[in-house]
Amino acid sequence: MNRTLATVAVVFALIVVGLVTYFMVNKWHQNRMAADRQQAQKECLEVIQKMEADMEEMRAQLETERQARPGDEVFPTVFGTPAPDRSTDAMPADCDKADAQMLSFFNYLDSRPNLSVREADGGSAGFFRECAALLLADPPVNIGEMQELFRLVKNVTHFYRVLGKARLMQAKEILVSEERVLEPAMAVFYAAIAECGKPLAGDDKPLSVDRIYDYAGYFLNTLGGRSYLLRRESKMRMLVSYYAILIVDRANDEKFNRYGIDVRPYIDYLFYDISNQKGLTYRERYLTRLTALRNKYM
């Protein structure tokens, strides 16, 4: 009898211990599940917040790019023609159209009340003619820049020395206030001057592409020119490098690359830069042209 009671007591105790253990383990498991759910919810919220922040940043970036591009409603006001297709190459250039666009651009600058160049002799076109005449008459050093400190200093300070502070401030005023139309303006000026040989408005003779080549070499191949570009905003640096490469390519075709500039490393470097630059209106056009040049010089 006593043995039976002891057995029953032991079994009962085991059952009680088992039940208590079960409930304790179950409660611990529930608490752990709740904690895991809270942690998972927290991590999900963090991911969602990060995605929302990334999306907001992307929206801001897209808006910045949109504002940096001249819209269809702006382009005719500035250049007198509808906006061109951004994805196609503008070759060969329509010379009459480029000449008319350049004149329309000068008229647009003269209509801007915040620009001091409109008060210059001959308006904005007169200002551009004066700057071009000064720069082409006193080109930068392209050979032996590092042989003398004086040559290097002259190259580093070239624009300030040749144009003077007042003209530089006026040029900066245009670059800052008209940043939205800067990219198509550079395309128009390159087409009109370098490809079509058109003179600036009010001039009888076209600008010498041979003299412009001095500046292409300066920006690509000298410490003074490269240091100048490195102080500029990335978009401006890429655009100047792009048109400098086109000028040197033209010099190769017309046999006046007298400094023997090899454009191949500059093409590769610029192709990589433009591929990663989101704020360029004609990025596809630049990449198409650079790809053709890479194939040409392989």
Side-chain angles (χ1 to χ4, degrees):
M1 184 66 180
N2 292 335
R3 182 178 297 177
T4 301
L5 290 174
T7 302
V8 170
V10 169
V11 171
F12 180 76
L14 290 174
I15 292 173
V16 171
V17 171
L19 289 173
V20 171
T21 302
Y22 169 78
F23 285 117
M24 290 180 65
V25 169
N26 186 54
K27 185 176 181 180
W28 173 85
H29 180 68
Q30 290 178 349
N31 292 337
R32 182 58 183 270
M33 289 290 290
D36 289 344
R37 282 196 299 270
Q38 290 178 352
Q39 180 65 25
Q41 290 175 352
K42 181 181 178 182
E43 291 176 356
C44 287
L45 286 174
E46 290 176 351
V47 171
I48 292 171
Q49 289 173 354
K50 186 177 185 304
M51 290 177 64
E52 290 177 345
D54 290 343
M55 290 180 65
E56 189 62 32
E57 183 180 352
M58 187 177 298
R59 289 192 194 99
Q61 182 179 354
L62 290 173
E63 179 63 18
T64 300
E65 292 182 19
R66 186 191 68 78
Q67 292 179 0
R69 298 177 177 182
D72 292 341
E73 75 286 356
V74 177
F75 198 98
T77 302
V78 180
F79 300 102
T81 59
D85 186 349
R86 293 170 177 165
S87 62
T88 58
D89 195 0
M91 288 291 291
D94 184 334
C95 293
D96 291 336
K97 182 179 178 180
D99 192 31
Q101 286 176 327
M102 184 168 59
L103 180 60
S104 179
F105 178 69
F106 287 135
N107 292 334
Y108 164 77
L109 292 182
D110 290 339
S111 71
R112 302 286 282 171
N114 59 318
L115 294 180
S116 60
V117 291
R118 64 199 297 266
E119 306 297 335
D121 185 18
S124 59
F127 172 75
F128 274 68
R129 289 197 305 270
E130 182 182 23
C131 290
L134 290 170
L135 290 171
L136 297 185
D138 189 3
V141 174
N142 271 273
I143 296 178
E145 177 192 37
M146 302 298 292
Q147 292 178 1
E148 296 179 12
L149 181 60
F150 179 67
R151 288 184 180 181
L152 178 59
V153 172
K154 283 185 65 177
N155 257 13
V156 171
T157 60
H158 177 74
F159 288 100
Y160 187 89
R161 180 174 53 82
V162 175
L163 295 179
K165 182 178 179 180
R167 294 187 190 89
L168 279 181
M169 294 304 294
Q170 288 177 302
K172 182 179 179 180
E173 187 180 53
I174 296 174
L175 294 176
V176 172
S177 65
E178 306 305 325
E179 194 273 338
R180 288 189 67 194
V181 298
L182 177 63
E183 190 177 347
M186 292 181 73
V188 166
F189 273 77
Y190 176 79
I193 294 171
E195 294 182 357
C196 299
K198 297 289 186 179
L200 290 172
D203 258 353
D204 296 328
K205 295 181 179 180
L207 298 180
S208 169
V209 178
D210 187 61
R211 293 287 86 188
I212 296 174
Y213 163 80
D214 284 328
Y215 284 90
Y218 171 72
F219 286 123
L220 292 177
N221 211 36
T222 71
L223 181 60
R226 297 304 297 172
S227 66
Y228 176 83
L229 287 184
L230 288 173
R231 298 194 299 273
R232 306 280 77 81
E233 182 262 336
S234 61
K235 181 178 176 180
M236 171 62 75
R237 182 172 67 250
M238 292 179 197
L239 291 174
V240 172
S241 297
Y242 174 75
Y243 288 108
I245 288 172
L246 296 190
I247 291 292
V248 175
D249 174 60
R250 191 176 190 85
N252 284 331
D253 291 343
E254 299 180 13
K255 312 301 181 186
F256 63 88
N257 185 5
R258 56 185 173 276
Y259 302 129
I261 300 171
D262 182 1
V263 293
R264 289 175 295 181
Y266 304 114
I267 292 171
D268 291 337
Y269 182 80
L270 185 60
F271 188 92
Y272 174 80
D273 266 1
I274 292 180
S275 298
N276 292 282
Q277 176 70 25
K278 305 300 183 183
L280 292 170
T281 302
Y282 304 120
R283 181 171 63 159
E284 292 180 43
R285 181 185 300 178
Y286 304 144
L287 294 176
T288 299
R289 191 77 173 271
L290 290 172
T291 298
L293 290 177
R294 290 172 78 177
N295 295 335
K296 177 180 178 178
Y297 290 105
M298 282 181 63

